[in-house]
Structures are given as structure tokens and as C-alpha cells.
Amino acid sequence: MYGLGIVKGMAVTLRHFTETYLDDLRWAFRGGRYHNEEALKVRQHLGKNRGAVTINYPEEKLPMPERFRFIPFLVTDDPPPGQNWGHDWCTSCGICAKVCPPQCIWIKRGTKPNGRPKPEPEEFYIDIDICMNCGFCAEFCPFDAIKMDHDYELADYDRTYSHIHDKARLSKPISYWREIVPAKAAAEEAARELAEQSKGKRRSKDDEPEPQLADDVQRQLFYKGVLY
Amino acid sequence: MSDEALSEEAMQNEVVEVRVHTDPVEEAVERLTERFPEVVEDPRPDFGGYMVPANQIRDVAAYVRDELGFDYLSSVTGLDLIDEGKMEVVYHTYSIDKGGSALVLKVHVDREEPTVPSLTPMWPGADFQEREIWDLYGINFEGHPDQRRILLWDGFEGHPMRKDWHEPFYEEEHKPFGSRWPGGEVFRAEERNPYGKNVQYPAGWQPESLEFNPDTEVYAGMTVTREATPGLKTEKVTVNMGPQHPSTHGVFRMVVTLDGETVLKLEPVMGYLHRNHEQIGERNTFIQNIPFTDRLDYLSSMGNNHGYVLAVEQLLGSKVPERAEWIRILMVELNRISNHAWALGFLLNDMGAFQTPALYMITERELIVDFFEATAGSRMMCNYMRFGGVAYDLPTEFRGQPTMEFLDELIYEQIPRFIEEMDVYLTNNEIVRARGIGVGTLSAEEAIAYSTAGPVLRASGVPYDVRRAEPYSYYDELDFDIAVFYNGDVYDRYLVRIEEMRQSVRILKQILPHLRSTMGAPIVEGKPQYAIRVPRGGDAYGRVENPKGELGFYITAKTRSSNPERYHVRAPSFINLTALGKMCRGHKVADIVTILGSIDIVLGEVDR
């Protein structure tokens, strides 16, 4: 019969339409359907959700997974009291600049007063116009000094020079990193400590054999914040 | 839906299974070299394939196709061997019946005025690929019916993939660029490459002086002599659909010659999104290419990653740990479901069911891409696979739920429920049937001749799936069927995609126990490295069954090099478009939109 398909399709739409409002009613006594963290979780978990699956951005925002990556930032120590600048973790080794696919990182290595290179960048720029958010810089940095940010709201009135982030704009203290990705930051910290400990220790033949993974694999996994 | 019901459903749909055969290439090569003594193995060490003299390529191709059964010309690749002063064209031919690896034919010609006989007359699927080679390498294909530029604009000077061609503001041959470190001077990318000045024009060229005759330049080959209605004076009209047209799924243009509302001829025009992906790939180091492959078919970036890493792993000789393989299959199959959900939603959009079905379909896709985000860091630009493994293990939890529990729920409940829901509401919908059945038909022979791949090929009754024909990863251990339908129309392409989603769910159910049992095992071979050099040179071709069709990466490299010497993408969307003109002929204008939607193209991959 002609027209049945249309009726069926309309019925689906009507069902979704009414369910959305019924669901709103269901949530009315539990703090409402929108602007409510619990409801947001349910809305994003489609299996248990009946009504709308959308969120009201920007009033509501999706919780970001830890591995979410956006424009990188540089990690510094927490600034000592009375100062607004902590020690850079970056040693200007240049691995990030070498591995960067669109080549958007510029590093100028600092020099000591005696002319020797100083393991700290004098200047560090990222052209975020061409950064492709691949995360290689953070993945391959051996010092955990460059990390991918979670701050994705970078809209700007100036599309020229504000898009070149310099060292001042890029640097963020380690406490910020701990705040946005607590589990991974803790895993990295543990891995660093582990590496620090194993540095001085010599392995003897009497050492217990490693339980499951090869030593280097496990360290690498810890190191990358994978095992946590 | 339970397992039994699924397999019952599969039986109803006459799913054909193709067995894996032993490699048929060796036998074919024996006969080929006997018949043509001039055909010799590639003398260069670590290079595969067989050298064919340029003047014999047509005879050899005809013999290979008709006598040896290698009837599927998958990929045509151009190469510039500047050190040897040669140009090379590489043909990858496959046997649809026997499966297995490729019979690779190579033709060397002089670098000055290179000319190769065209294979388009016998394999229409070579049409766009040869035009692309002419465009990017300047290799002249003798006998090509319509040799014009395809990706670049008509007034472009030079052939940019040649090794001695340099763009304006050329910086360096290979990355990493020296200017970045140490003591680099910062400049904005746009400053370095100012808009409007980053084009090379022929000497003495004035835009005003360009005598541009659309009849000869753009619509060449579009003149149709046909007396449609004897006695009644009618006029043919040439209509331009696109590039800005909502039905084209991007920036894509079709020049259509119409008789009333009937399509007499259709010519795709593309290249609006062209960025010379392949040359970028040749400047990049091997690892830098992985995020660039995400940008090809941006709806299935996991599959793109997989194809690329498979090709490079052949050069590196890596061995992928077991868990990494299972994770790869998990990701790729989830990606297939999300891609097909998107494709079907927008196919309905093209049929006139505006937005609503598409939005219902992408709600489930949303869960999948959110899972990608939690695992790989990005919803679409996943950049997840690495040589010899994957970048990260699965997260321990996803939205407050243990990951494996979430996957169970996703794979056993949500996705099957969503597929069956779509099936119930749409498959027998009279509009879908009226707009789909008999529209845009492509017979099995045509589908093979036009080198179509993926759902387009399988909807025409050709049970060819790379996962079965030449299994990679652990696909030979998995139990699944190839979805095949026989009418080759829009409706069958729709059905193939639904069936493929079911088969993907079947695969996913099988790999969940493996993911559980390998928990905590290594996910990458050795230590991740950023400066990778291939231990041996040579060429490698990695191909995967992407949701859009066969995606292949042809890579050649010099020994101990960190960059590919040649990096070619066999893009399924691009090659499937070759058959678009054929499919649309004789149908109405409104059907063009549906047919294009049923091919499921992504312009990032078409234009590269």
C-alpha cells in the first residue's frame, strides 16, 4: 500500500518527539533534564536513554576523556611563591620539532653566559594555524615537557599573530596537567620515579625475574601513561 | 538480535563465502613469461613485479586479463625515477576468482616525453587514474579517449609530482625542515605562503588574456549527437551540478548533458580539495604520514591508518603483537559500522528524507566516535596506529563504565538493535525501494572493468572482499561472510551496507574474548621510535578493505631512508567515481543525487 512507508516514518519521528517530552517529565523531579550533570551522563549513554541525546553547548559541555588532544602546551614547575614563572621542563632537545608532521614548532635553544648551550628553550613557538593536533610531540617527548591541552575554545578576533603561541602563552604549570588528566599524570609521575630509582641500581643475577612483561615494554607503557 | 537469528538472516540474503586460495600469481607468471619472453622480473633488489616493454603493455594486459584471469586492474601508479632518467607506471592486477596477491606489471619509459599506451580502452577503470598520472607526472597515455587534467586546474604549469618540480616558496625536500630548530626564525605559515601568490603561472601569462572556451576546455567530450525524438525538435542542455551543491557531499562537480530530464552523459569534475597529499607524503618521514592519512577518508580514519601501517610494516619487517592486532580489528570494524551508518543516513538524505533519518543514524555513530576519542584522543582524526602496533591500549574505563563492559553493551545490544531498527523501518520503505530499485545499475562485468571496489562492487554480484581475498591481520581466523547482492542498483548498495554492518558485529563478537584474554599484553613491537628508517629499500603495497572499498598504499623507499620515495594512495572513492557516468546514463536528474549517494564518496579521498 502506498503511503504506508511515510506513515511509518512519521510515526518514528513522532515517537522520538513525544519520548523527548516524556523523558523531560520523568526528569522534572530529579533536577531537570538539562544543566544537570547526572542527566548529561545518561543523555550521552544511549543505551539507557530514551529522550534527547544532544547537549546544550555552551551551557553544557561534554566531559572530555583524558586522552583528548588539542593544541599542545609546555609544562613548567609550579611557580614558587611570589613569582609567576616556574622552571621549564623542556630541555630544547628538539624531538618535538623534528617529529611534528606539519612542522609548526620552532625552538631556539638558550645559551649559558659562557656560550655553551643551556638545556632550556629561549624561545618556543607553535603556529597553531597549521598544528594538526596529532599529539606526536607529547607522545615522543622524553621529558614529559610538552602535553596536549584540553582547552578547545580558542576562537579569536585576530587570525594573524595571536595564532602564533609563544613561550609565555604556551607554558602552563604541572598542577594544571594534574588537574585535567589526573590518572595519566599520576601514572607518568610513577614512571618517572621508577626511572629515577632504576638509574642508580645495578641489576644482579639474583634479581627476581620480571613477572609478565618485558622490562622495556612495561616501562614504555608506564612511561606513556598507558598502564594506569 | 541473537546469533542464530543473525546467521539465519545472513542465509536469507544469500551471502556467498569465498575461500582463501593459494597464491595464483606464481602460476600466472610462469605462463606470462613463457608467452612473452620480454617480460622479466624487476631487476632491482627488493622490488617486486614484472617489467613489460612499453610497446607490449596492451598485449600483455589483454593476455593477463583474458587468459590468466587477472581481470581486476586495481591500481595504476606513476613514478618518477629521476636518478635513472625514467618514468615508471605500475599496474596492480588481481584475480577476482582466485583472490590472492597482485600480479604487478611495470613499464619504464624515457623521462623526456614519456609515452605509454593507454589501458583505458580495455579497462575503463584506468580512465581517471591515467588522467591523474598525466596531470601529476606528465606521462602521456596514447589512445586515452579524454586526456585532460583531473585534479589540478586547467591552466596549471608543470606536473607537480615530478621530482624536479618545486612549488613557489619551496622550502626543503624532506622534513624535518632545518629552519625550525635550533635557532629557527618563526614565521607564520601564511606569511611564508601568501594567499594569491602561491601559484606558479606560465611565463608571460595574464589572467585577462586567458581565452577560455568552456565548450572545448571543460565540456570537451560532452557533445552528444542524438535525435531523441524524431520529428520533435529538442535541444540538449548542459547543466553544471556543483561544486557547491548539497548533494555532492563536498566540493564536487558534475557536468551533465540532458535531454529533457534524462541524463545523456555525465562527467565528474574534481580537484577542488586537492592538496597534493602524495607529495606531502613523500616529504614526510614515515611516521609523520600517519596523521595525514586520517585526512583522506575522514569518516574512516582507523582504516586509513591500518592500510598505511600495513604497507610500511612490509618494508620494516615488523611483527605486530597479538593484542595490537585484535585492537586494530576492533577499531576498524567499529569504524566500518560508523561509516556505513553515516553513508546510509546521507543516502536517505539524498533520497529526500531530509536530515531526520540521518540524525537518528548518527546517534549510534556518536557512541563509536566518542569511544575513539577516549581511546585515541580524537573523534575522527584518530592517528591511532603505529608501525608494529597501536599507540595506546584501550582505556580502562569509558564514561565511568569499565571499557569491556561498555564494549559488550555496544556490540551485543546497541549496535545490533540500531541495525535492525534501521532495517525494519527503511528496507521495505516504498520510497527507498522506488528510488533505489533499478536505479544506477552496474553489471558484474562492468563493475570489475571499472575497477570499482567495496560495496559498489559487491552490490553488483562480485563477492570480492580484501579481508577474504588476501587476508591481512587476523581476518583469516575470523568467521564472517561477504555481503553480496546481485542487482547492482542503489537499493542493493544500501542492502550491502546493512549486511556488512551485521557482519562487522559478528566479527566484533568474536574478538571480544581475545581482547579479554590478552589484557595487559604488549600493544606495540619494541620501543616506539620517532626516527624510523627502513632497513631495506624496495616497494610495498598494503591494502585493506576500507568501508568505501579497497584502500591501497603503494610505497617505495631507498635503503636506510626515513622518507618514502613514492607514496601513492589507491583511493576507493576516487576510482569508484569512474563508473558514475556509466551508472547515471539514462536516468533522471534527481537520480544522479541518489546514485552519487550510493557510491558513498568522501572528497578528502577523491581529491587528495
Side-chain angles (χ1 to χ4, degrees), chain A residues 204-219:
Chain A
S204 68
K205 279 174 194 168
D206 304 332
D207 267 357
E208 300 243 327
E210 283 292 322
Q212 289 167 338
L213 300 178
D215 190 12
D216 57 341
V217 175
Q218 189 148 28
R219 257 201 57 202

Side-chain angles (χ1 to χ4, degrees), chain A residues 1-6 8-9 12-17 41 44-48 53 62-65 67-69 92-95 97-109 123 125 127 129-130 132-136 139-140 159-161 164 184 212-213 216-217 220-221 224 226-228, chain B residues 175-177 179-191 284 287-288 290-292 295 356 360 363-364 366-367 370 373-379 381-384 386 390-396 399 401 406 409 414 417 421 424-425 428-431 520-524 526-530:
Chain A
M1 196 189 94
Y2 272 104
L4 198 67
I6 292 180
K8 229 169 156 185
V12 176
T13 312
L14 188 71
R15 200 194 70 210
H16 276 269
F17 179 78
K41 262 185 199 159
Q44 284 305 305
H45 200 293
L46 302 177
K48 293 169 194 137
V53 294
L62 271 180
M64 251 166 294
R67 291 179 193 171
F68 176 78
R69 48 181 149 82
S92 73
C93 69
I95 287 178
K98 283 179 200 156
V99 79
C100 175
Q103 298 282 294
C104 69
I105 298 178
W106 280 260
I107 303 174
K108 194 169 178 187
R109 178 180 275 174
E123 287 167 40
Y125 296 99
D127 185 348
D129 276 343
I130 56 172
M132 69 201 292
N133 305 326
C134 66
F136 275 157
E139 198 175 320
F140 292 106
R159 67 169 197 91
T160 53
Y161 287 93
I164 292 194
K184 193 172 178 178
Q212 289 167 338
L213 300 178
D216 57 341
V217 175
Q220 195 57 40
L221 295 180
K224 292 170 69 183
V226 173
L227 286 182
Y228 58 83
Chain B
K175 287 174 188 172
F177 295 144
S179 65
R180 306 304 201 264
W181 178 87
E185 199 62 31
V186 68
F187 55 81
R188 285 176 61 231
E190 200 179 305
E191 199 180 312
N284 283 341
I287 197 161
Q288 284 173 349
I290 300 175
F292 276 95
R295 274 88 178 156
T356 314
Y360 292 158
T363 46
E364 251 69 19
E366 199 65 15
L367 265 187
D370 281 350
E373 189 182 30
T375 311
S378 186
R379 289 156 56 89
M381 303 297 136
C382 298
N383 184 18
Y384 184 55
R386 300 285 181 272
V390 292
Y392 313 97
D393 206 337
L394 300 179
T396 43
R399 293 219 180 109
Q401 200 182 9
F406 163 77
E409 202 180 319
Q414 288 167 3
R417 188 199 298 142
E421 198 180 341
V424 165
Y425 287 127
N428 287 316
N429 183 303
E430 70 231 25
I431 298 176
I523 49 152
V524 68
K527 218 174 146 189
Q529 286 180 330
Y530 71 93

